[in-house]
Amino acid sequence: MQYLKKIENVNRTDWILKGLMIAAAAGAVQMGLVMLAGTPKSMLMVALAVLAVLTLAAVLVGVLAASSQNKTMQKRIAALEPTASVPFEQAQFANVSDEVLLGNDWLVVRKGTKYSFWTREIVSRIEVRQQKESSDKGILEVYIKGSPNPEQMPVTSAQIVRTQLQNWLSV
């Protein structure tokens, strides 16, 4: 399955939607001001043209931001591939929780639309702390070899994530 393409499409869609929401909010303010001013219809047409340009610019900025984010992600994966036995696109992934995917040597964690990638070879240890006894939400801490500070991400199903990641790391 083409996980990288799927992630890239999600990023692109997210950034474009953010741009459209900003353009819609700006357009609503602009149209409200035009209506309050009681301007003639010709000014309304100018306001609509400005809104169209603003929307186009917002979509273009969204596409460029997504492209930048996707290139950063591609570089990260390319840098990690020599440490994996299977290239990222050939790995078989399984969902561990809503945020965590495991595949062969690959660990992928999603926080919103931000993705983090590691391979088994660069991970020194993994810890999952539950936030509360009554909840299965937790904090995943991924320790990279040579770095004392972990990368932290919230996870659901902390018990399952802990068990699956410890098993994955010990293989």
Side-chain angles (χ1 to χ4, degrees):
M1 184 176 254
Q2 297 276 334
Y3 286 104
L4 185 57
K5 293 295 178 201
K6 188 184 285 188
I7 293 169
E8 289 173 348
N9 287 337
V10 168
N11 287 343
R12 191 174 306 108
T13 301
D14 181 64
W15 277 101
I16 290 171
L17 288 176
K18 285 177 184 174
L20 288 174
M21 287 190 294
I22 291 168
V29 169
Q30 177 189 10
M31 287 303 172
L33 292 174
V34 166
M35 298 305 230
L36 282 175
T39 57
K41 289 185 181 182
S42 62
M43 287 304 292
L44 184 59
M45 296 307 281
V46 170
L48 286 173
V50 169
L51 178 59
V53 169
L54 179 66
T55 302
L56 184 61
V59 169
L60 182 60
V61 167
V63 168
L64 293 174
S67 177
S68 174
Q69 184 178 7
N70 288 341
K71 281 188 181 173
T72 300
M73 192 172 49
Q74 290 169 353
K75 286 179 183 177
R76 171 74 173 166
I77 290 171
L80 289 174
E81 281 193 332
T83 67
S85 62
V86 175
F88 184 80
E89 285 298 336
Q90 293 176 8
Q92 297 296 315
F93 288 93
N95 284 327
V96 175
S97 70
D98 292 339
E99 311 80 14
V100 179
L101 284 173
L102 280 180
N104 303 54
D105 290 337
W106 292 92
L107 168 61
V108 180
V109 178
R110 177 182 60 83
K111 180 180 180 184
T113 57
K114 182 183 178 288
Y115 288 81
S116 298
F117 303 89
W118 301 273
T119 59
R120 187 184 343 250
E121 187 172 313
I122 69 165
V123 175
S124 63
R125 77 178 200 265
I126 294 173
E127 294 180 12
V128 181
R129 293 182 286 112
Q130 278 186 255
Q131 291 176 323
K132 299 178 188 175
E133 288 292 324
S134 61
S135 172
D136 202 23
K137 292 182 180 180
I139 301 294
L140 169 63
E141 296 179 336
V142 179
Y143 291 84
I144 305 302
K145 292 177 181 172
S147 175
N149 300 322
E151 294 184 50
Q152 298 180 332
M153 280 82 44
V155 293
T156 55
S157 308
Q159 280 296 108
I160 294 170
V161 169
R162 178 183 301 116
T163 303
Q164 292 291 323
L165 292 183
Q166 286 174 346
N167 289 341
W168 173 81
L169 198 55
S170 65
V171 170

